Amino acid sequence: MRYKYCPECGAKLKGQQAGDDGLVPYCDNCKRYWFDSFSSCVIVMVVNELHEIALLKQSYISDQYETFVAGYITPGENAEEAATREVKEELGLTVENLIYEGTHWFDKREQLMHAYIGIVKKADFSTSSEVDGVSWVPLEDAPTRMFPDRPGNTQHILYRKYLELLRTK
Ligand SMILES: [Zn+2]
């Protein structure tokens, strides 16, 4: 998101040269630049020891496709803490091994997704109110229930990474 007005004083911002970054919105009153803002989020593909994937039904995201655990990183925590916390909150499960799979830009929502595979022990779910349902889905059945595989789809990036991990084990 590009700022048009100063979030501090409300003045209209003007473009001002900021070194290598080119023209950046600038507040003359507050004497500061307002660089474009976006959210930092985590997405976790939760897998158990039987190679089943936790797929979530969340009607506020989609009625058709099933999601992975995801959420916003809150100020003061790092991405790993956010990933572990979200799995606990949404599914009631403890991550035993968190595998980092890089960051991915989600253009539609202007979010930087920090992607992880979270290995857990198979157990019953204890879901939060954000989750309408969740099930353990066999590895081979998951892709047809996930969002379509388009460039930048983090679900499928994680899915392919997991297959790669299994091959190289
Ligand atoms: Zn200002």
Side-chain angles (χ1 to χ4, degrees), residues 60-103:
Y60 79 98
I61 298 175
S62 171
D63 284 326
Q64 191 178 0
Y65 303 115
E66 293 171 71
T67 60
F68 289 172
V69 168
Y72 291 89
I73 301 173
T74 57
E77 69 180 353
N78 60 40
E80 287 71 25
E81 287 163 347
T84 309
R85 174 180 55 73
E86 287 290 344
V87 173
K88 192 77 180 168
E89 282 174 7
E90 293 191 0
L91 304 182
L93 299 177
T94 304
V95 174
E96 303 207 322
N97 184 14
L98 190 66
I99 305 164
Y100 179 58
E101 294 295 354
T103 54

mmCIF file of all heavy atoms in Angstrom, residues 60-103:
data_model
loop_
_atom_site.group_PDB
_atom_site.id
_atom_site.type_symbol
_atom_site.label_atom_id
_atom_site.label_comp_id
_atom_site.label_asym_id
_atom_site.label_seq_id
_atom_site.Cartn_x
_atom_site.Cartn_y
_atom_site.Cartn_z
ATOM 1 N N TYR A 60 -14.583 -17.843 5.643
ATOM 2 C CA TYR A 60 -14.289 -16.432 5.392
ATOM 3 C C TYR A 60 -13.179 -16.279 4.343
ATOM 4 O O TYR A 60 -12.973 -15.196 3.814
ATOM 5 C CB TYR A 60 -13.960 -15.680 6.694
ATOM 6 C CG TYR A 60 -12.561 -15.865 7.247
ATOM 7 C CD1 TYR A 60 -11.556 -14.922 7.003
ATOM 8 C CD2 TYR A 60 -12.250 -16.978 8.025
ATOM 9 C CE1 TYR A 60 -10.286 -15.089 7.516
ATOM 10 C CE2 TYR A 60 -10.980 -17.149 8.537
ATOM 11 C CZ TYR A 60 -10.001 -16.204 8.284
ATOM 12 O OH TYR A 60 -8.731 -16.366 8.783
ATOM 13 N N ILE A 61 -12.496 -17.373 4.030
ATOM 14 C CA ILE A 61 -11.483 -17.335 2.964
ATOM 15 C C ILE A 61 -12.036 -17.960 1.682
ATOM 16 O O ILE A 61 -11.926 -17.379 0.603
ATOM 17 C CB ILE A 61 -10.189 -18.058 3.403
ATOM 18 C CG1 ILE A 61 -9.591 -17.346 4.624
ATOM 19 C CG2 ILE A 61 -9.177 -18.106 2.255
ATOM 20 C CD1 ILE A 61 -8.389 -18.041 5.225
ATOM 21 N N SER A 62 -12.620 -19.150 1.786
ATOM 22 C CA SER A 62 -13.159 -19.812 0.594
ATOM 23 C C SER A 62 -14.169 -20.883 0.990
ATOM 24 O O SER A 62 -13.988 -21.583 1.978
ATOM 25 C CB SER A 62 -12.019 -20.451 -0.206
ATOM 26 O OG SER A 62 -12.546 -21.272 -1.239
ATOM 27 N N ASP A 63 -15.245 -21.001 0.202
ATOM 28 C CA ASP A 63 -16.211 -22.075 0.411
ATOM 29 C C ASP A 63 -15.803 -23.323 -0.358
ATOM 30 O O ASP A 63 -16.295 -24.409 -0.106
ATOM 31 C CB ASP A 63 -17.605 -21.630 -0.066
ATOM 32 C CG ASP A 63 -18.252 -20.676 0.925
ATOM 33 O OD1 ASP A 63 -18.018 -20.833 2.141
ATOM 34 O OD2 ASP A 63 -18.975 -19.759 0.476
ATOM 35 N N GLN A 64 -14.915 -23.111 -1.326
ATOM 36 C CA GLN A 64 -14.581 -24.188 -2.264
ATOM 37 C C GLN A 64 -13.280 -24.903 -1.898
ATOM 38 O O GLN A 64 -13.198 -26.124 -1.974
ATOM 39 C CB GLN A 64 -14.481 -23.566 -3.658
ATOM 40 C CG GLN A 64 -14.390 -24.565 -4.776
ATOM 41 C CD GLN A 64 -14.348 -23.879 -6.139
ATOM 42 O OE1 GLN A 64 -14.379 -22.638 -6.236
ATOM 43 N NE2 GLN A 64 -14.263 -24.668 -7.192
ATOM 44 N N TYR A 65 -12.281 -24.126 -1.533
ATOM 45 C CA TYR A 65 -10.951 -24.701 -1.326
ATOM 46 C C TYR A 65 -10.565 -24.708 0.145
ATOM 47 O O TYR A 65 -11.053 -23.910 0.936
ATOM 48 C CB TYR A 65 -9.906 -23.912 -2.128
ATOM 49 C CG TYR A 65 -10.223 -23.857 -3.594
ATOM 50 C CD1 TYR A 65 -10.531 -22.646 -4.199
ATOM 51 C CD2 TYR A 65 -10.221 -25.019 -4.370
ATOM 52 C CE1 TYR A 65 -10.836 -22.593 -5.550
ATOM 53 C CE2 TYR A 65 -10.522 -24.977 -5.711
ATOM 54 C CZ TYR A 65 -10.827 -23.756 -6.304
ATOM 55 O OH TYR A 65 -11.135 -23.705 -7.641
ATOM 56 N N GLU A 66 -9.655 -25.636 0.461
ATOM 57 C CA GLU A 66 -9.212 -25.755 1.850
ATOM 58 C C GLU A 66 -7.833 -25.128 2.028
ATOM 59 O O GLU A 66 -7.014 -25.126 1.107
ATOM 60 C CB GLU A 66 -9.249 -27.228 2.266
ATOM 61 C CG GLU A 66 -10.686 -27.736 2.323
ATOM 62 C CD GLU A 66 -10.797 -29.234 2.524
ATOM 63 O OE1 GLU A 66 -10.501 -29.710 3.625
ATOM 64 O OE2 GLU A 66 -11.172 -29.922 1.566
ATOM 65 N N THR A 67 -7.604 -24.602 3.212
ATOM 66 C CA THR A 67 -6.429 -23.763 3.447
ATOM 67 C C THR A 67 -5.408 -24.461 4.356
ATOM 68 O O THR A 67 -5.690 -25.500 4.932
ATOM 69 C CB THR A 67 -6.854 -22.444 4.130
ATOM 70 O OG1 THR A 67 -7.483 -22.769 5.381
ATOM 71 C CG2 THR A 67 -7.848 -21.679 3.279
ATOM 72 N N PHE A 68 -4.235 -23.839 4.455
ATOM 73 C CA PHE A 68 -3.243 -24.212 5.454
ATOM 74 C C PHE A 68 -3.380 -23.236 6.619
ATOM 75 O O PHE A 68 -4.045 -22.209 6.507
ATOM 76 C CB PHE A 68 -1.820 -24.087 4.879
ATOM 77 C CG PHE A 68 -1.449 -25.126 3.841
ATOM 78 C CD1 PHE A 68 -0.270 -25.009 3.132
ATOM 79 C CD2 PHE A 68 -2.271 -26.217 3.581
ATOM 80 C CE1 PHE A 68 0.089 -25.957 2.182
ATOM 81 C CE2 PHE A 68 -1.923 -27.171 2.627
ATOM 82 C CZ PHE A 68 -0.738 -27.039 1.925
ATOM 83 N N VAL A 69 -2.711 -23.543 7.707
ATOM 84 C CA VAL A 69 -2.654 -22.604 8.832
ATOM 85 C C VAL A 69 -1.929 -21.335 8.367
ATOM 86 O O VAL A 69 -0.889 -21.422 7.711
ATOM 87 C CB VAL A 69 -1.895 -23.239 10.018
ATOM 88 C CG1 VAL A 69 -1.571 -22.193 11.082
ATOM 89 C CG2 VAL A 69 -2.712 -24.377 10.621
ATOM 90 N N ALA A 70 -2.491 -20.179 8.679
ATOM 91 C CA ALA A 70 -1.850 -18.930 8.288
ATOM 92 C C ALA A 70 -2.274 -17.820 9.242
ATOM 93 O O ALA A 70 -3.326 -17.918 9.888
ATOM 94 C CB ALA A 70 -2.216 -18.553 6.860
ATOM 95 N N GLY A 71 -1.456 -16.781 9.309
ATOM 96 C CA GLY A 71 -1.818 -15.659 10.159
ATOM 97 C C GLY A 71 -0.779 -14.552 10.105
ATOM 98 O O GLY A 71 0.290 -14.725 9.511
ATOM 99 N N TYR A 72 -1.124 -13.443 10.720
ATOM 100 C CA TYR A 72 -0.237 -12.280 10.731
ATOM 101 C C TYR A 72 0.841 -12.410 11.813
ATOM 102 O O TYR A 72 0.559 -12.909 12.905
ATOM 103 C CB TYR A 72 -1.034 -11.004 10.994
ATOM 104 C CG TYR A 72 -1.929 -10.631 9.842
ATOM 105 C CD1 TYR A 72 -3.227 -11.118 9.756
ATOM 106 C CD2 TYR A 72 -1.459 -9.811 8.821
ATOM 107 C CE1 TYR A 72 -4.046 -10.796 8.680
ATOM 108 C CE2 TYR A 72 -2.272 -9.472 7.754
ATOM 109 C CZ TYR A 72 -3.562 -9.971 7.685
ATOM 110 O OH TYR A 72 -4.358 -9.652 6.618
ATOM 111 N N ILE A 73 2.027 -11.963 11.483
ATOM 112 C CA ILE A 73 3.077 -11.853 12.487
ATOM 113 C C ILE A 73 2.775 -10.601 13.297
ATOM 114 O O ILE A 73 2.496 -9.543 12.730
ATOM 115 C CB ILE A 73 4.467 -11.731 11.821
ATOM 116 C CG1 ILE A 73 4.739 -12.960 10.945
ATOM 117 C CG2 ILE A 73 5.559 -11.554 12.870
ATOM 118 C CD1 ILE A 73 6.006 -12.867 10.104
ATOM 119 N N THR A 74 2.780 -10.722 14.630
ATOM 120 C CA THR A 74 2.465 -9.556 15.447
ATOM 121 C C THR A 74 3.764 -8.895 15.912
ATOM 122 O O THR A 74 4.799 -9.578 16.042
ATOM 123 C CB THR A 74 1.601 -9.947 16.669
ATOM 124 O OG1 THR A 74 2.305 -10.942 17.416
ATOM 125 C CG2 THR A 74 0.265 -10.508 16.242
ATOM 126 N N PRO A 75 3.727 -7.571 16.154
ATOM 127 C CA PRO A 75 4.943 -6.874 16.561
ATOM 128 C C PRO A 75 5.562 -7.526 17.802
ATOM 129 O O PRO A 75 4.835 -7.871 18.742
ATOM 130 C CB PRO A 75 4.458 -5.460 16.884
ATOM 131 C CG PRO A 75 3.226 -5.299 16.064
ATOM 132 C CD PRO A 75 2.578 -6.667 16.025
ATOM 133 N N GLY A 76 6.860 -7.728 17.769
ATOM 134 C CA GLY A 76 7.562 -8.295 18.925
ATOM 135 C C GLY A 76 7.875 -9.768 18.788
ATOM 136 O O GLY A 76 8.694 -10.294 19.523
ATOM 137 N N GLU A 77 7.221 -10.465 17.863
ATOM 138 C CA GLU A 77 7.543 -11.888 17.681
ATOM 139 C C GLU A 77 8.235 -12.073 16.334
ATOM 140 O O GLU A 77 8.093 -11.243 15.441
ATOM 141 C CB GLU A 77 6.296 -12.779 17.791
ATOM 142 C CG GLU A 77 5.308 -12.629 16.667
ATOM 143 C CD GLU A 77 4.082 -13.537 16.800
ATOM 144 O OE1 GLU A 77 4.024 -14.398 17.688
ATOM 145 O OE2 GLU A 77 3.172 -13.357 15.978
ATOM 146 N N ASN A 78 8.996 -13.162 16.229
ATOM 147 C CA ASN A 78 9.606 -13.450 14.937
ATOM 148 C C ASN A 78 8.707 -14.427 14.168
ATOM 149 O O ASN A 78 7.707 -14.925 14.691
ATOM 150 C CB ASN A 78 11.048 -13.964 15.104
ATOM 151 C CG ASN A 78 11.125 -15.248 15.915
ATOM 152 O OD1 ASN A 78 10.295 -16.142 15.767
ATOM 153 N ND2 ASN A 78 12.131 -15.352 16.781
ATOM 154 N N ALA A 79 9.086 -14.707 12.925
ATOM 155 C CA ALA A 79 8.224 -15.512 12.059
ATOM 156 C C ALA A 79 8.056 -16.932 12.596
ATOM 157 O O ALA A 79 6.974 -17.514 12.507
ATOM 158 C CB ALA A 79 8.793 -15.544 10.635
ATOM 159 N N GLU A 80 9.122 -17.471 13.204
ATOM 160 C CA GLU A 80 9.049 -18.844 13.735
ATOM 161 C C GLU A 80 8.070 -18.915 14.913
ATOM 162 O O GLU A 80 7.292 -19.862 15.031
ATOM 163 C CB GLU A 80 10.445 -19.320 14.183
ATOM 164 C CG GLU A 80 11.401 -19.643 13.045
ATOM 165 C CD GLU A 80 11.895 -18.408 12.288
ATOM 166 O OE1 GLU A 80 11.907 -17.297 12.877
ATOM 167 O OE2 GLU A 80 12.254 -18.544 11.106
ATOM 168 N N GLU A 81 8.128 -17.903 15.767
ATOM 169 C CA GLU A 81 7.195 -17.867 16.895
ATOM 170 C C GLU A 81 5.755 -17.740 16.393
ATOM 171 O O GLU A 81 4.844 -18.391 16.913
ATOM 172 C CB GLU A 81 7.536 -16.698 17.830
ATOM 173 C CG GLU A 81 8.796 -16.955 18.646
ATOM 174 C CD GLU A 81 9.401 -15.686 19.273
ATOM 175 O OE1 GLU A 81 9.005 -14.567 18.902
ATOM 176 O OE2 GLU A 81 10.283 -15.848 20.133
ATOM 177 N N ALA A 82 5.563 -16.915 15.375
ATOM 178 C CA ALA A 82 4.219 -16.740 14.821
ATOM 179 C C ALA A 82 3.715 -18.052 14.221
ATOM 180 O O ALA A 82 2.547 -18.425 14.418
ATOM 181 C CB ALA A 82 4.231 -15.646 13.751
ATOM 182 N N ALA A 83 4.571 -18.767 13.521
ATOM 183 C CA ALA A 83 4.180 -20.026 12.873
ATOM 184 C C ALA A 83 3.757 -21.055 13.928
ATOM 185 O O ALA A 83 2.698 -21.684 13.814
ATOM 186 C CB ALA A 83 5.334 -20.571 12.033
ATOM 187 N N THR A 84 4.573 -21.194 14.971
ATOM 188 C CA THR A 84 4.278 -22.153 16.033
ATOM 189 C C THR A 84 3.000 -21.762 16.774
ATOM 190 O O THR A 84 2.149 -22.602 17.081
ATOM 191 C CB THR A 84 5.464 -22.186 17.026
ATOM 192 O OG1 THR A 84 6.661 -22.381 16.273
ATOM 193 C CG2 THR A 84 5.339 -23.318 18.013
ATOM 194 N N ARG A 85 2.844 -20.475 17.036
ATOM 195 C CA ARG A 85 1.659 -19.967 17.747
ATOM 196 C C ARG A 85 0.381 -20.211 16.941
ATOM 197 O O ARG A 85 -0.637 -20.665 17.471
ATOM 198 C CB ARG A 85 1.836 -18.464 18.022
ATOM 199 C CG ARG A 85 0.613 -17.790 18.632
ATOM 200 C CD ARG A 85 0.825 -16.311 18.881
ATOM 201 N NE ARG A 85 1.233 -15.547 17.712
ATOM 202 C CZ ARG A 85 0.429 -15.226 16.695
ATOM 203 N NH1 ARG A 85 -0.842 -15.600 16.700
ATOM 204 N NH2 ARG A 85 0.878 -14.523 15.666
ATOM 205 N N GLU A 86 0.431 -19.923 15.632
ATOM 206 C CA GLU A 86 -0.758 -20.086 14.796
ATOM 207 C C GLU A 86 -1.207 -21.550 14.729
ATOM 208 O O GLU A 86 -2.401 -21.835 14.741
ATOM 209 C CB GLU A 86 -0.501 -19.540 13.382
ATOM 210 C CG GLU A 86 -0.448 -18.007 13.295
ATOM 211 C CD GLU A 86 -1.814 -17.336 13.501
ATOM 212 O OE1 GLU A 86 -2.846 -18.020 13.423
ATOM 213 O OE2 GLU A 86 -1.837 -16.116 13.760
ATOM 214 N N VAL A 87 -0.249 -22.475 14.664
ATOM 215 C CA VAL A 87 -0.598 -23.900 14.617
ATOM 216 C C VAL A 87 -1.283 -24.294 15.926
ATOM 217 O O VAL A 87 -2.282 -25.008 15.944
ATOM 218 C CB VAL A 87 0.648 -24.784 14.356
ATOM 219 C CG1 VAL A 87 0.298 -26.265 14.474
ATOM 220 C CG2 VAL A 87 1.235 -24.489 12.969
ATOM 221 N N LYS A 88 -0.744 -23.792 17.038
ATOM 222 C CA LYS A 88 -1.332 -24.068 18.360
ATOM 223 C C LYS A 88 -2.747 -23.480 18.448
ATOM 224 O O LYS A 88 -3.686 -24.158 18.872
ATOM 225 C CB LYS A 88 -0.427 -23.463 19.442
ATOM 226 C CG LYS A 88 -0.762 -23.917 20.832
ATOM 227 C CD LYS A 88 -0.220 -25.322 21.045
ATOM 228 C CE LYS A 88 -0.517 -25.871 22.413
ATOM 229 N NZ LYS A 88 -0.237 -27.318 22.467
ATOM 230 N N GLU A 89 -2.890 -22.211 18.034
ATOM 231 C CA GLU A 89 -4.185 -21.537 18.150
ATOM 232 C C GLU A 89 -5.248 -22.163 17.249
ATOM 233 O O GLU A 89 -6.380 -22.389 17.666
ATOM 234 C CB GLU A 89 -4.049 -20.053 17.771
ATOM 235 C CG GLU A 89 -3.436 -19.196 18.857
ATOM 236 C CD GLU A 89 -3.182 -17.762 18.396
ATOM 237 O OE1 GLU A 89 -3.608 -17.390 17.269
ATOM 238 O OE2 GLU A 89 -2.536 -17.029 19.150
ATOM 239 N N GLU A 90 -4.877 -22.414 16.000
ATOM 240 C CA GLU A 90 -5.882 -22.844 15.022
ATOM 241 C C GLU A 90 -6.192 -24.329 15.119
ATOM 242 O O GLU A 90 -7.313 -24.748 14.850
ATOM 243 C CB GLU A 90 -5.436 -22.475 13.597
ATOM 244 C CG GLU A 90 -5.410 -20.964 13.378
ATOM 245 C CD GLU A 90 -5.236 -20.549 11.930
ATOM 246 O OE1 GLU A 90 -5.137 -21.427 11.051
ATOM 247 O OE2 GLU A 90 -5.187 -19.334 11.674
ATOM 248 N N LEU A 91 -5.192 -25.161 15.483
ATOM 249 C CA LEU A 91 -5.403 -26.613 15.476
ATOM 250 C C LEU A 91 -5.230 -27.262 16.844
ATOM 251 O O LEU A 91 -5.585 -28.417 17.030
ATOM 252 C CB LEU A 91 -4.430 -27.272 14.486
ATOM 253 C CG LEU A 91 -4.465 -26.783 13.038
ATOM 254 C CD1 LEU A 91 -3.483 -27.581 12.195
ATOM 255 C CD2 LEU A 91 -5.866 -26.878 12.460
ATOM 256 N N GLY A 92 -4.602 -26.555 17.780
ATOM 257 C CA GLY A 92 -4.335 -27.130 19.093
ATOM 258 C C GLY A 92 -3.182 -28.117 19.079
ATOM 259 O O GLY A 92 -3.081 -28.958 19.963
ATOM 260 N N LEU A 93 -2.313 -28.041 18.086
ATOM 261 C CA LEU A 93 -1.201 -28.986 17.968
ATOM 262 C C LEU A 93 0.146 -28.293 18.206
ATOM 263 O O LEU A 93 0.301 -27.099 17.945
ATOM 264 C CB LEU A 93 -1.189 -29.626 16.577
ATOM 265 C CG LEU A 93 -2.436 -30.437 16.198
ATOM 266 C CD1 LEU A 93 -2.309 -30.954 14.771
ATOM 267 C CD2 LEU A 93 -2.661 -31.583 17.167
ATOM 268 N N THR A 94 1.110 -29.072 18.696
ATOM 269 C CA THR A 94 2.450 -28.551 18.965
ATOM 270 C C THR A 94 3.397 -28.946 17.833
ATOM 271 O O THR A 94 3.510 -30.131 17.503
ATOM 272 C CB THR A 94 2.980 -29.128 20.296
ATOM 273 O OG1 THR A 94 2.038 -28.806 21.325
ATOM 274 C CG2 THR A 94 4.333 -28.543 20.648
ATOM 275 N N VAL A 95 4.047 -27.957 17.249
ATOM 276 C CA VAL A 95 4.998 -28.237 16.167
ATOM 277 C C VAL A 95 6.279 -28.813 16.759
ATOM 278 O O VAL A 95 6.863 -28.239 17.678
ATOM 279 C CB VAL A 95 5.322 -26.942 15.378
ATOM 280 C CG1 VAL A 95 6.417 -27.206 14.352
ATOM 281 C CG2 VAL A 95 4.081 -26.408 14.702
ATOM 282 N N GLU A 96 6.697 -29.968 16.253
ATOM 283 C CA GLU A 96 7.917 -30.607 16.759
ATOM 284 C C GLU A 96 9.126 -30.245 15.914
ATOM 285 O O GLU A 96 10.253 -30.251 16.392
ATOM 286 C CB GLU A 96 7.724 -32.117 16.766
ATOM 287 C CG GLU A 96 6.510 -32.520 17.585
ATOM 288 C CD GLU A 96 6.628 -33.902 18.159
ATOM 289 O OE1 GLU A 96 7.168 -34.778 17.462
ATOM 290 O OE2 GLU A 96 6.185 -34.085 19.311
ATOM 291 N N ASN A 97 8.883 -29.969 14.662
ATOM 292 C CA ASN A 97 9.976 -29.606 13.762
ATOM 293 C C ASN A 97 9.439 -28.607 12.742
ATOM 294 O O ASN A 97 8.510 -28.925 12.002
ATOM 295 C CB ASN A 97 10.512 -30.874 13.070
ATOM 296 C CG ASN A 97 11.721 -30.581 12.204
ATOM 297 O OD1 ASN A 97 12.326 -29.512 12.294
ATOM 298 N ND2 ASN A 97 12.073 -31.520 11.345
ATOM 299 N N LEU A 98 10.013 -27.413 12.749
ATOM 300 C CA LEU A 98 9.550 -26.354 11.865
ATOM 301 C C LEU A 98 10.605 -26.156 10.774
ATOM 302 O O LEU A 98 11.754 -25.837 11.064
ATOM 303 C CB LEU A 98 9.356 -25.075 12.684
ATOM 304 C CG LEU A 98 8.648 -23.911 12.014
ATOM 305 C CD1 LEU A 98 7.191 -24.248 11.709
ATOM 306 C CD2 LEU A 98 8.710 -22.668 12.905
ATOM 307 N N ILE A 99 10.211 -26.385 9.527
ATOM 308 C CA ILE A 99 11.165 -26.315 8.416
ATOM 309 C C ILE A 99 10.871 -25.077 7.578
ATOM 310 O O ILE A 99 9.768 -24.921 7.038
ATOM 311 C CB ILE A 99 11.065 -27.592 7.544
ATOM 312 C CG1 ILE A 99 11.250 -28.831 8.415
ATOM 313 C CG2 ILE A 99 12.083 -27.550 6.409
ATOM 314 C CD1 ILE A 99 10.785 -30.124 7.751
ATOM 315 N N TYR A 100 11.858 -24.205 7.476
ATOM 316 C CA TYR A 100 11.691 -22.935 6.776
ATOM 317 C C TYR A 100 11.780 -23.128 5.271
ATOM 318 O O TYR A 100 12.704 -23.796 4.785
ATOM 319 C CB TYR A 100 12.787 -21.969 7.251
ATOM 320 C CG TYR A 100 12.759 -20.615 6.599
ATOM 321 C CD1 TYR A 100 11.626 -19.816 6.688
ATOM 322 C CD2 TYR A 100 13.867 -20.125 5.920
ATOM 323 C CE1 TYR A 100 11.599 -18.565 6.102
ATOM 324 C CE2 TYR A 100 13.845 -18.871 5.342
ATOM 325 C CZ TYR A 100 12.708 -18.096 5.436
ATOM 326 O OH TYR A 100 12.677 -16.865 4.856
ATOM 327 N N GLU A 101 10.836 -22.586 4.525
ATOM 328 C CA GLU A 101 10.835 -22.738 3.069
ATOM 329 C C GLU A 101 10.776 -21.390 2.346
ATOM 330 O O GLU A 101 10.203 -21.274 1.265
ATOM 331 C CB GLU A 101 9.666 -23.635 2.630
ATOM 332 C CG GLU A 101 9.782 -25.083 3.094
ATOM 333 C CD GLU A 101 10.968 -25.839 2.497
ATOM 334 O OE1 GLU A 101 11.663 -25.282 1.628
ATOM 335 O OE2 GLU A 101 11.196 -26.987 2.911
ATOM 336 N N GLY A 102 11.364 -20.379 2.965
ATOM 337 C CA GLY A 102 11.532 -19.099 2.272
ATOM 338 C C GLY A 102 10.316 -18.180 2.327
ATOM 339 O O GLY A 102 9.290 -18.517 2.908
ATOM 340 N N THR A 103 10.465 -17.025 1.715
ATOM 341 C CA THR A 103 9.380 -16.044 1.702
ATOM 342 C C THR A 103 8.800 -15.938 0.292
ATOM 343 O O THR A 103 9.504 -16.129 -0.691
ATOM 344 C CB THR A 103 9.869 -14.657 2.148
ATOM 345 O OG1 THR A 103 10.993 -14.279 1.350
ATOM 346 C CG2 THR A 103 10.276 -14.659 3.606
#
